[in-house]
Every structure is written in structure tokens, then in C-alpha cells.
């Protein structure tokens, strides 16, 4: 199986991208893939359905 880094709106964000991120990443994990979500607009590390969601700054200058 693959290790995947998914970059999009956080699944906690009520946007089309956030909803799709949550559904696709959940299904990929159910198939045995290892998923890490980098969530735009997210400011803290959290989990979604057992998947790690890490903050991904919109501006490269905000990256630490």
C-alpha cells in the first residue's frame, strides 16, 4: 500500500474541498493506505476519522 500526503482544505472545514478531502481520505485509509492530510486554513494539529490533519499555511511565509 501507499503512503499519501493529501493537501487541500481541512476535512473540518465546511467547503466542497473539505468534504471531498474527508471522504476520499477515509476511503483510501479503509483500503490500507497511510494518509496524512495537510489542511489549508487549519491552525492546529487534529484528527479526522482517525487520520492526522496537520496545518498547512496558505502563505509560504507562514510556514515554520
Amino acid at each position: 500500500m501507499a503512503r499519501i500526503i493529501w493537501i487541500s482544505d481541512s476535512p473540518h472545514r465546511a467547503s466542497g474541498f473539505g468534504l471531498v478531502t474527508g471522504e476520499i481520505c477515509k476511503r483510501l485509509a479503509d483500503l490500507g493506505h497511510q494518509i496524512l492530510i495537510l489542511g489549508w486554513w487549519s491552525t492546529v494539529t487534529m484528527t479526522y476519522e482517525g487520520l492526522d490533519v496537520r496545518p498547512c499555511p496558505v502563505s509560504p511565509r507562514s510556514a515554520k
Side-chain angles (χ1 to χ4, degrees):
M1 294 299 141
R3 293 188 329 178
I4 299 168
I5 298 176
W6 186 276
I7 303 173
S8 186
D9 279 0
S10 170
H12 297 93
R13 186 168 171 82
S15 70
F17 291 121
L19 296 171
V20 168
T21 293
E23 288 301 313
I24 290 176
C25 290
K26 238 183 349 185
R27 293 174 188 189
L28 287 169
D30 289 344
L31 293 172
H33 299 289
Q34 184 180 358
I35 309 293
L36 170 64
I37 300 170
L38 297 180
W40 288 327
W41 310 108
S42 181
T43 57
V44 295
T45 299
M46 59 185 85
T47 60
Y48 174 82
E49 300 282 332
L51 302 170
D52 287 331
V53 180
R54 304 259 173 93
C56 179
V58 176
S59 169
R61 291 183 179 175
S62 299
K64 297 178 182 171

